[in-house]
Amino acid sequence: MQPFTSLTSALIPVPYNDIDTDQIIPARYLKVTDKNGLAEGLFARWRYRADGSLNEDFPLNQPRYHNRQILLAGDNFGCGSSREHAPWALMAWNIRAVISTSFADIFRNNALKNGLLPVQVDKQTHSKLLALTEEELSSPQSFAEASAMPWSVTIDLANQTLILPDSTKAFFPIESFHKTCLLKGIDSLGYILEFSGQIESYEWSDRAYPFGVKKL
Amino acid sequence: MSKPKTLFEKIWDSHIVAQEPDSPAILYIDLHLIHEVTSPQAFEGLRQRGLKVRRPDRSIATMDHSIPTQSLSLEGLDELGAKQLQKLRQNCAEFGIKLYDLNDPQRGIVHVIGPELGYTQPGMTIVCGDSHTATHGAFGALAFGVGTSEVELVLASQCLIQYRPKTCQVVFDGKLPKRVTAKDMILALIAQVGVGGGTGYVFEYCGDAVRELNMEERMTLCNMSIEAGARAGMVAPDDTTFAYLADKPFAPKGHEWDRMLEYWRSLPSDEGAHYDKKIVVDVSQLEPMVTYGTNPGMGIPISQPIPDPALERDPDRRTAMEKALNYMGFQPNRPLLGQAVDVVFIGSCTNSRMTDLRQAASLIKGRKIANGVRLIVVPGSESVRRQAEAEGLDKVFKEAGGEWRFSGCSMCIAMNGDQLKPGQVAVSTSNRNFEGRQGDGGRTILASPLTAAASAITGQVTDPRSI
C-alpha cells in the first residue's frame, strides 16, 4: 500500500450528498480482471454526455482541476455497492484524499486499504471548504493560473489535521490502527498473516463454528 | 448471571481470534461467498505472494453478475465479461474452490443459493464481495459485504480486521396489511432513516411483523440493510428458520442437527440486552412503497404525492431532491400513481425467490400485461426457476406477454446486456434506483413484486390493492 503522510492540494468540488459507488464507477467498468484502465470510468456518467462527448461542466473535465489530489464531496460519500473499483478509480485519477461530512462504511474500509484517505470534517468546516471552491471560481482566472496555492489545503495525517488556506485547522478522526497502517504503508494482509498461529488454534478450539469439528 | 447479550454480540464475541490493545479485532469468517466481479484481483494478489486459500472448504463460488439470462452460454457476452467468467473458473480450479458454474443446476445469485443450499446457517459470520451479503442475516448470521482487498484477506487467512460496529434494534410493530410486503417494510425504514442513517450500525430486526415473515421475506428485509447504510441486518433465528433449514442439502443432519439446533436456540438476544440505538416502525398503517428519486431513501407510500424540495429545510438535501427529480423527470406534489412505465423487472437478490414470483404471478395470472410494456422475470437461481416452472409460473408470465429468463443478477446491475434504454422508466423489484443503475439514462422506481406486477398489467405505477 502507498503510504500517506501529508498532502497539499487545491480541491476538486463534487459537492453532492450520497454519491454512490455506481456513480463513482459504473458497473460496465467492473468487467476488468485487473486494476488497469479504471481512471477512464471515474464518474463516467457525469463526465460524459449521452452521446459520448465530454461534459465540460463537470469539474474533472476542466483544466483548472487537473492534477489536484483532493476531492470535496457531500455527505455519505461512497454509499451503495461494495465495489473496490471505486477507490481504485479515484487513485487511478491520482486522487489521494476525499473530504466529506461522512462516509459509507464499506467505501471507507476499501479506501483505507488502498492508501486513499477519507477525511471526515464537521459541517462548518465543510461549508468553509465549499465556500473556498466558490471563491476560487469567482476570482480572476489569471490569479488562479498563477498559483493554485491560495486555494490549497493541507492534510497532515500524523496530527489528524486539515489546514485551511487561512491557517485555521480542523481535526479529523481516524482509528489509530488505520492511521499507523497509512503512515507506514503497512498492508493488512501482511498484518493478518502474523496471526496465523492464533487462527490455527481458533479453528481447532471449541469456539469455532461448528464447534470443535474442524472439517477439512 | 453473565451480562445479557444481543444476537450480534454473541456472534461477534465467539468469532474473535485475537485483538491487540487499541486495535481492531481479528474476526474469523465461517463462510466466504465468491462471484466473478469482485474476486479476480484478490486471487491475483494471492498468486503474486505465493499464498494458498486457507479454507477452500469454507469458500463457495457462483456466477451471477455478468452472465447472460437468455441462454446459459457465454456466446453473445462481450469479450471482457466472458474473460471474467473464464477467470473465475480458472481461479476456482487452481485454488480448489467449489464453483457453481454456468450450467450447474444449483447455480444462481450468490445470496439466493447460499440459503437455499443450506450453507447459510444461524450464528455464522458470512462475507462476500457484494454489499447485499446482509441478506444472510435473515438466518441470524452476521453477514456483511466487503471489498476486494478483504476478499483477498479472507481467502488467505479466513479472517478480517474489523472494528466492532454499533447495534441498532429496529422494531416493526403491528400487523402488516394485505398486499403490503417485506419490501415495503424495508423501503419504509430506509425512507425514515435515510441512506446514511444506519452507517456504523448493525440492525437487528425485531417485532411481531418480523416474526410473521417467512424466511424468503426476512431475506428481502435484511437484503436492503445496506441501502440504509447499515453494515448488516439480522433476524434472530426461530422455528421458522429451523423449519426452512431442516431439509437443505448442506444443513447439518442427524445428531449434528440436534447439536447445532441447541446452539441456534441460544442465539436470540437476551432479555435486557443493550442496543446503542432503537428505531420503531408501525407497519399496521403501512402502504405499498415506491421510490421517486435516485436513491433508495427517496421512497413514499404509493398513495402520497412526490415531495416538494421547496419544503425541505436542509439545503444539501434540497439540492439532492432537485437533482433527483430533474434526473427522473418527475414533478413535485404530483402522484407517482399513474406514471407511465416502460419496463417491469422482477428479479434480483432482493425479490427473486418463490414467495416473490408466486405473489407476482397471483396478480398476473389470467391477465395480459399492458401494450408497450416489457416485463422481464428473472428467477434468483436455477432451483427457483425449476420450482417456478413446476408450478406453472413461467407460463403465467409468458402467457401474459412477459419474458421468462434463466437465473442471474440481470437488470439489477445491468452488466450482462439486460438494461434500460435512456429515458425508460422501470418499476423494479431490485434494490437500487441510482442514476443509470439499470442502464445509462434509465429511471428506476423500486417496489415490491406485487406493485411491479400490478404496474405491468396497467402500464402505469399501480397500487396492487386496486387490482
Side-chain angles (χ1 to χ4, degrees), chain B residues 146-157:
Chain B
V146 296
T148 300
S149 293
E150 292 190 315
V151 169
E152 188 179 341
L153 284 186
V154 178
L155 288 172
S157 70

Side-chain angles (χ1 to χ4, degrees), chain A residues 36-50:
Chain A
N36 298 326
L38 292 172
E40 188 195 327
L42 181 65
F43 291 115
R45 283 201 193 99
W46 295 345
R47 264 171 65 214
Y48 304 105
R49 294 207 165 88

Side-chain angles (χ1 to χ4, degrees), chain A residues 22-23 28 30-31 34 45-46 80 84 105 110 175 177 187 200 202-203 207 209-210 213 215, chain B residues 13-14 16 28 41 49 54-55 57-58 78 84 121 148-149 200 259 415 435-437 440:
Chain A
D22 270 87
Q23 305 317 316
R28 65 172 177 276
L30 308 189
K31 292 181 182 175
D34 51 28
R45 283 201 193 99
W46 295 345
E84 197 161 322
D105 286 333
N110 287 341
E175 300 85 348
F177 174 81
D187 80 359
E200 177 83 16
Y202 176 86
E203 285 176 326
R207 290 175 62 218
Y209 196 96
V213 189
K215 290 180 191 161
Chain B
D13 291 350
S14 68
I16 296 176
Y28 197 80
Q41 297 86 351
R49 299 184 199 227
R54 182 177 180 90
R55 294 297 297 270
D57 60 319
R58 299 284 184 117
D78 62 285
Q84 199 172 52
Q121 295 168 23
T148 300
S149 293
R259 201 171 67 96
M415 283 184 76
E435 286 182 29
R437 167 82 178 187
D440 284 341

Side-chain angles (χ1 to χ4, degrees), chain A residues 1 15-18 20-23 26-36 38 45-46 50 74-76 79-85 88 101-106 108-110 113-114 123 126-127 130 174-178 187-203 207-216, chain B residues 13-18 20 22-24 26 28 30 37-38 40-41 49 51 54-55 57-58 66 78 80-81 83-84 87 121-124 129-131 145-150 152-153 156-163 195-196 199-201 226-227 229 231 256 259-260 263-264 294-295 314 316-317 320 323 413 415 432 434-437 440:
Chain A
M1 183 172 78
Y16 309 120
N17 279 10
D18 306 314
D20 57 80
T21 52
D22 270 87
Q23 305 317 316
R28 65 172 177 276
Y29 294 95
L30 308 189
K31 292 181 182 175
V32 291
T33 50
D34 51 28
K35 301 175 190 176
N36 298 326
L38 292 172
R45 283 201 193 99
W46 295 345
D75 198 40
N76 193 33
C79 61
S81 158
S82 65
R83 60 191 68 170
E84 197 161 322
H85 308 68
W88 293 339
T101 42
S102 71
F103 294 88
D105 286 333
I106 305 179
R108 187 171 185 278
N109 259 331
N110 287 341
K113 289 198 165 49
N114 287 278
K123 192 117 185 158
H126 193 266
S127 302
L130 204 55
I174 184 166
E175 300 85 348
S176 57
F177 174 81
H178 292 315
D187 80 359
S188 22
L189 186 50
Y191 176 82
I192 213 166
L193 290 176
E194 286 174 24
F195 292 89
S196 295
Q198 280 149 287
I199 297 169
E200 177 83 16
S201 311
Y202 176 86
E203 285 176 326
R207 290 175 62 218
Y209 196 96
F211 321 112
V213 189
K214 181 169 172 171
K215 290 180 191 161
L216 279 175
Chain B
D13 291 350
S14 68
H15 285 81
I16 296 176
V17 168
E20 296 190 325
D22 210 18
S23 293
I26 307 293
Y28 197 80
D30 295 319
V37 175
T38 57
Q41 297 86 351
R49 299 184 199 227
L51 294 168
R54 182 177 180 90
R55 294 297 297 270
D57 60 319
R58 299 284 184 117
S66 54
D78 62 285
L80 274 177
K83 189 179 158 200
Q84 199 172 52
K87 199 85 190 167
Q121 295 168 23
M124 280 184 161
D130 188 286
S131 61
V146 296
T148 300
S149 293
E150 292 190 315
E152 188 179 341
L153 284 186
S157 70
Q158 205 59 32
C159 289
L160 281 177
I161 302 166
Q162 291 285 307
Y163 280 97
V195 284
T199 303
Y201 288 89
I226 183 69
E227 311 310 339
R231 200 80 178 86
E256 183 73 353
R259 201 171 67 96
M260 293 313 292
Y263 172 64
W264 294 341
T294 53
N295 72 48
D314 180 305
D316 292 340
R317 290 181 63 177
K323 188 170 179 288
I413 190 163
M415 283 184 76
R432 290 190 172 134
F434 297 147
E435 286 182 29
R437 167 82 178 187
D440 284 341

Side-chain angles (χ1 to χ4, degrees), chain B residues 67-77 85 89 102-103 406:
Chain B
I67 54 148
T69 55
Q70 281 173 310
S71 74
L72 290 180
S73 141
L74 295 190
E75 279 168 36
L77 264 196
L85 292 165
R89 275 182 191 150
L102 200 57
N103 286 293
F406 293 98

Side-chain angles (χ1 to χ4, degrees), chain B residues 22-51:
Chain B
D22 210 18
S23 293
I26 307 293
L27 192 75
Y28 197 80
I29 303 303
D30 295 319
L31 178 64
H32 184 195
L33 304 165
I34 296 162
H35 64 80
E36 70 271 28
V37 175
T38 57
S39 66
Q41 297 86 351
F43 283 111
E44 191 52 35
L46 292 190
R47 221 173 266 126
Q48 280 170 11
R49 299 184 199 227
L51 294 168

Side-chain angles (χ1 to χ4, degrees), chain B residues 89-289:
Chain B
R89 275 182 191 150
Q90 188 191 329
N91 287 331
C92 289
E94 183 180 336
F95 291 95
I97 291 171
K98 166 73 185 168
L99 168 67
Y100 289 92
D101 207 327
L102 200 57
N103 286 293
D104 193 298
Q106 291 175 316
R107 187 196 55 79
I109 302 176
V110 65
H111 309 309
V112 177
I113 67 167
E116 80 184 6
L117 292 173
Y119 287 115
T120 301
Q121 295 168 23
M124 280 184 161
T125 47
I126 302 174
V127 299
C128 174
D130 188 286
S131 61
H132 294 111
T133 308
T135 310
H136 308 263
F139 291 78
L142 175 60
F144 52 93
V146 296
T148 300
S149 293
E150 292 190 315
V151 169
E152 188 179 341
L153 284 186
V154 178
L155 288 172
S157 70
Q158 205 59 32
C159 289
L160 281 177
I161 302 166
Q162 291 285 307
Y163 280 97
R164 192 179 183 286
K166 291 178 277 188
T167 52
C168 176
Q169 185 183 32
V170 181
V171 183
F172 286 101
D173 266 337
K175 190 170 169 55
L176 209 54
K178 198 165 172 255
R179 293 196 174 169
V180 182
T181 68
K183 180 64 164 286
D184 304 304
M185 288 165 67
I186 190 66
L187 284 174
L189 174 69
I190 303 164
Q192 184 175 322
V193 304
V195 284
T199 303
Y201 288 89
V202 165
F203 285 169
E204 182 184 338
Y205 301 113
C206 308
D208 294 344
V210 176
R211 289 293 133 214
E212 292 290 315
L213 300 177
N214 71 26
M215 289 313 295
E216 296 186 339
E217 294 165 328
R218 292 181 191 182
M219 286 187 243
T220 299
L221 187 65
C222 290
N223 172 276
M224 288 186 70
S225 304
I226 183 69
E227 311 310 339
R231 200 80 178 86
M234 317 172 80
V235 174
D238 59 13
D239 286 340
T240 305
T241 319
F242 310 139
Y244 176 98
L245 271 171
D247 62 348
K248 297 293 178 283
F250 292 91
K253 300 280 181 291
H255 169 69
E256 183 73 353
W257 170 269
D258 298 336
R259 201 171 67 96
M260 293 313 292
L261 187 62
E262 191 185 330
Y263 172 64
W264 294 341
R265 287 196 191 283
S266 76
L267 283 169
S269 297
D270 300 326
E271 187 77 34
H274 169 78
Y275 295 87
D276 298 301
K277 195 170 156 182
K278 181 174 178 176
I279 298 168
V280 179
V281 182
D282 176 14
V283 305
S284 59
Q285 303 301 316
L286 198 64
E287 288 185 27
M289 295 287 295

Side-chain angles (χ1 to χ4, degrees), chain A residues 9-188:
Chain A
S9 168
L11 304 167
I12 311 169
V14 186
Y16 309 120
N17 279 10
D18 306 314
I19 294 177
D20 57 80
T21 52
D22 270 87
Q23 305 317 316
I24 300 172
I25 185 149
R28 65 172 177 276
Y29 294 95
L30 308 189
K31 292 181 182 175
V32 291
T33 50
D34 51 28
K35 301 175 190 176
N36 298 326
L38 292 172
E40 188 195 327
L42 181 65
F43 291 115
R45 283 201 193 99
W46 295 345
R47 264 171 65 214
Y48 304 105
R49 294 207 165 88
D51 62 4
S53 64
L54 278 186
N55 173 12
E56 306 291 348
D57 297 336
F58 192 67
L60 289 189
N61 290 334
Q62 298 167 8
R64 174 196 296 273
Y65 297 110
H66 288 175
N67 301 315
R68 296 190 179 187
Q69 293 190 281
I70 304 174
L71 191 81
L72 177 67
D75 198 40
N76 193 33
F77 184 77
C79 61
S81 158
S82 65
R83 60 191 68 170
E84 197 161 322
H85 308 68
W88 293 339
L90 288 161
M91 294 282 284
W93 194 272
N94 206 21
I95 289 168
R96 291 297 310 275
V98 181
I99 303 176
S100 174
T101 42
S102 71
F103 294 88
D105 286 333
I106 305 179
F107 174 83
R108 187 171 185 278
N109 259 331
N110 287 341
L112 289 165
K113 289 198 165 49
N114 287 278
L116 173 72
L117 184 68
V119 179
Q120 188 177 333
V121 296
D122 58 85
K123 192 117 185 158
Q124 197 188 351
T125 304
H126 193 266
S127 302
K128 264 176 92 171
L129 292 168
L130 204 55
L132 188 69
T133 63
E134 283 158 8
E135 194 187 329
E136 177 188 345
L137 285 180
S138 59
S139 298
Q141 181 74 8
S142 57
F143 183 57
E145 275 170 0
S147 163
M149 285 310 283
W151 320 112
S152 288
V153 300
T154 294
I155 297 165
D156 172 0
L157 176 57
N159 292 305
Q160 296 180 230
T161 307
L162 175 72
I163 305 158
L164 277 63
D166 65 0
S167 297
T168 56
K169 292 179 177 180
F171 175 84
F172 62 87
I174 184 166
E175 300 85 348
S176 57
F177 174 81
H178 292 315
K179 180 168 148 182
T180 308
C181 288
L182 282 166
L183 286 171
K184 296 184 179 167
I186 299 171
D187 80 359
S188 22

